[in-house]
Amino acid sequence: MSEIDLVEANLALKEIHKLEGHTDRVWSLAWNPATGDDGHPATLASCSGDKTVRIWQQGPSGSWDCTAVLEDTHNRTVRSCAWSPCGKLLATASFDATTAIWQQVGLDFECVATLEGHENEVKSVAWNPSGTLLATCSRDKSVWIWEMQPGNEFECIAVLQGHTQDVKMVQWHPHLDVLVSVSYDNSIRVWIEDIDIDDWSSVQTLSKTSCGHSSTVWALSFSSGGDRMVTSSDDLTMKIWDTTKNPSEVSGDGNGSWFHLCTISGYHDRPIFSVNWSRNGIIASGAADDAICLFHEQKNDLVHGPSYRLLLKVKAHDMDVNSVQWNPKDPNILASASDDGSIKLWQLTGLP
Amino acid sequence: MEPATTISTDFLESTVLLDQTLYDEGFRDGYRDGMDSGKEEGREVGLKHGFQVGEELGFYRGCVEIWKSAIRIDGNSFSSRVQKRIGELSELTENYPLSQPENESVQEMMDAIRIKFRIISANLGVKLEYEGNNLTNASKQDLEEI
């Protein structure tokens, strides 16, 4: 579905399930990439301030159950979780400065590795497209890259320094080994491996001078094709970036290859903690105003370059929305997590 | 007014200039005492700081020596990537300018050594940390909740 004629659409975001069980705020969600594949029920992982990770699955009747609780490993808030691309491993990042790797064994999950190295709270974890590398970032201002070795061993291959404050999130490009990090220092950094020196370095920094954010950048999400990226911030805006050019192919003349396309503002009046771009090109945002907004690109001849239109805004939770994630297989299903301790599943209806 | 070049035999002069004389004397005494206590304090701070740097650097060099010995005994002790990093750490600790305390890049160099050490110990799976009276351990106290 590439072009949606949304002008006549009668769109609505309907709450279809509410998952309760966590005893503290839910920080982050991750859909298992194998969700919906033959034999695999829809599976969602959630992590919380209650120091646990919960695995939720949809049964044949359509109802959702919590099928596993991953506990007694982290001794502080679990802030972020991410499934490996094959769906067999789950990485969880915690304020206890460690990242744990879990593998499913029967109905249970076993912790098969613990990655230590950060000096303090780990904020985010992400797998590269091939599942061979894992990136973690922390309040200690650094980003670590780990390479998976046989036997679930992980070796730290690089420590990326450059941010001057807490790094909030890391995400990989959907098909290139390009890593992006966002921070409390208001900047977005792009990192790639330099084969000549066998090390990673920052090839571009998107800050105020490149039309970047003027306050903490909380989250980022790539479009499924990898040609666009959206970032969200404390400055109440979301920014869309053109990421078509491969940073590894740019001549080193100091000019970065990615640039600002447009800014979406005026729809949230509190910090925007999460953004996620669906396969259908719909951007979902979750913010401290307890709401979720959906946006889509508007082809408009009158304006130079693309602009994004609000499709709808719903009050989703009783408290801050910390994470919004589209189901990778069914792009009309959205999951949201909140400070109120609950996870909600939503269905987008009314699409033509 | 009296011309300044006349040889003064004015018996009142010393009285008139008493303020100034006493001021000058006080200044000289204060300056001298200040220099002495300043030097003393400087010596103490220098000794303390020098000791701290020396102790920390010595710690890293000690670890490097053990690791290098292990590699000499058995070349397969560590993965090639870790061995390369141990070599890099060894170079960094050798090049640290111990006799140039005023070299502006010493802080950066020490940070680079610390981070390289963290990566090696993370990859070896060991919880090794230089303790000392360390400024970098202050993070334990500030708990951040978001």
Side-chain angles (χ1 to χ4, degrees), chain A residues 264-276:
Chain A
I264 304 174
S265 58
Y267 299 103
H268 285 293
D269 56 359
R270 302 284 311 284
I272 307 169
F273 293 131
S274 179
V275 264
N276 194 240

Side-chain angles (χ1 to χ4, degrees), chain A residues 117 123 139 155-157, chain B residues 79 81 85 118 123 142 144:
Chain A
K123 299 297 177 92
R139 182 165 70 84
E155 187 175 15
C156 171
I157 59 166
Chain B
S79 79
R81 199 179 261 135
R85 286 201 201 272
R118 283 195 84 88
N123 279 330
D142 24 316
E144 193 190 278

Side-chain angles (χ1 to χ4, degrees), chain A residues 218-283:
Chain A
W218 284 103
L220 76 133
S221 177
F222 279 96
S223 62
S224 50
D227 58 335
R228 297 270 169 94
M229 170 176 87
V230 58
T231 54
S232 69
S233 164
D234 251 7
D235 67 10
L236 317 182
T237 72
M238 279 163 284
K239 286 178 185 277
I240 311 289
W241 306 85
D242 181 310
T243 59
T244 345
K245 285 234 208 78
N246 183 340
S248 317
E249 290 163 11
V250 173
S251 59
D253 60 351
N255 290 331
S257 42
W258 293 359
F259 54 92
H260 175 260
L261 279 176
C262 70
T263 298
I264 304 174
S265 58
Y267 299 103
H268 285 293
D269 56 359
R270 302 284 311 284
I272 307 169
F273 293 131
S274 179
V275 264
N276 194 240
W277 213 318
S278 84
R279 265 182 27 210
N280 279 351
I282 301 182
I283 299 173

Side-chain angles (χ1 to χ4, degrees), chain A residues 182-340:
Chain A
V182 297
S183 163
Y184 182 81
D185 69 9
N186 310 351
S187 76
I188 300 154
R189 279 183 184 255
V190 184
W191 312 84
I192 58 167
E193 187 172 18
D194 185 342
I195 308 293
D196 299 329
I197 56 169
D198 192 25
D199 206 353
W200 289 70
S201 63
S202 173
V203 291
Q204 194 173 9
T205 301
L206 301 169
S207 59
K208 202 98 219 283
T209 49
S210 351
C211 295
H213 290 286
S214 53
S215 188
T216 302
V217 189
W218 284 103
L220 76 133
S221 177
F222 279 96
S223 62
S224 50
D227 58 335
R228 297 270 169 94
M229 170 176 87
V230 58
T231 54
S232 69
S233 164
D234 251 7
D235 67 10
L236 317 182
T237 72
M238 279 163 284
K239 286 178 185 277
I240 311 289
W241 306 85
D242 181 310
T243 59
T244 345
K245 285 234 208 78
N246 183 340
S248 317
E249 290 163 11
V250 173
S251 59
D253 60 351
N255 290 331
S257 42
W258 293 359
F259 54 92
H260 175 260
L261 279 176
C262 70
T263 298
I264 304 174
S265 58
Y267 299 103
H268 285 293
D269 56 359
R270 302 284 311 284
I272 307 169
F273 293 131
S274 179
V275 264
N276 194 240
W277 213 318
S278 84
R279 265 182 27 210
N280 279 351
I282 301 182
I283 299 173
S285 65
D289 58 7
D290 314 348
I292 292 175
C293 286
L294 299 185
F295 301 89
H296 191 264
E297 185 175 344
Q298 182 176 1
K299 305 282 190 227
N300 188 337
D301 310 281
L302 301 172
V303 181
H304 283 304
S307 64
Y308 285 76
R309 192 165 71 90
L310 176 79
L311 297 178
L312 54 86
K313 178 170 179 170
V314 296
K315 178 167 156 65
H317 286 272
D318 296 324
M319 294 171 74
D320 294 7
V321 181
N322 295 320
S323 178
V324 285
Q325 292 286 311
W326 292 100
N327 179 319
K329 293 294 156 56
D330 182 349
N332 296 327
I333 305 282
L334 181 71
S336 65
S338 166
D339 269 1
D340 66 14

